[in-house]
Amino acid sequence: GATGEVVATVGWAEGDSSGPGRSALRLKGGTLSGFKTPVPDLLAAHLVIVTANTADGPALFLVDMDDAGASVAPAETMDLVRRHGALTLDGARAEP
């Protein structure tokens, strides 16, 4: 069962610039660079599943928030229940 020891979330939004089938994240040599915002529960997350474009089309990647290439800032939203964040990836290791 889920114990809450590891918190994960999904980041697909890039402000107004993306949708589920598009992403500005860049994949290069197993690392990702770009941004996702707003990401629900990002401020508490240990892992984030993000969407990124690849040569074969959109794909999902797992990013460990302990990676030096991943940074987080608070993001204001209309959601008063969950805390959202802005995720910036700068050469963060990503697992398909």
Side-chain angles (χ1 to χ4, degrees), residues 46-95:
H46 300 101
L47 301 170
V48 181
I49 300 167
V50 296
T51 56
N53 288 334
T54 70
D56 298 323
L60 298 174
F61 293 88
L62 184 64
V63 176
D64 186 331
M65 293 308 298
D66 286 336
D67 190 283
S71 61
V72 174
E76 297 284 328
T77 68
M78 300 284 292
D79 188 339
L80 300 177
V81 177
R82 296 180 296 176
R83 296 178 63 201
H84 287 67
L87 172 63
T88 300
L89 300 176
D90 186 12
R93 290 182 309 263
E95 184 179 325

Side-chain angles (χ1 to χ4, degrees), residues 10-27 32-40 49-54 58-59 61 75 84-89:
V10 177
W12 64 268
E14 295 173 358
D16 293 334
S17 66
S18 75
R22 299 182 314 165
S23 175
L25 278 185
R26 296 172 309 281
L27 177 66
L32 288 171
S33 295
F35 72 96
K36 296 292 183 183
T37 190
V39 180
I49 300 167
V50 296
T51 56
N53 288 334
T54 70
F61 293 88
H84 287 67
L87 172 63
T88 300
L89 300 176

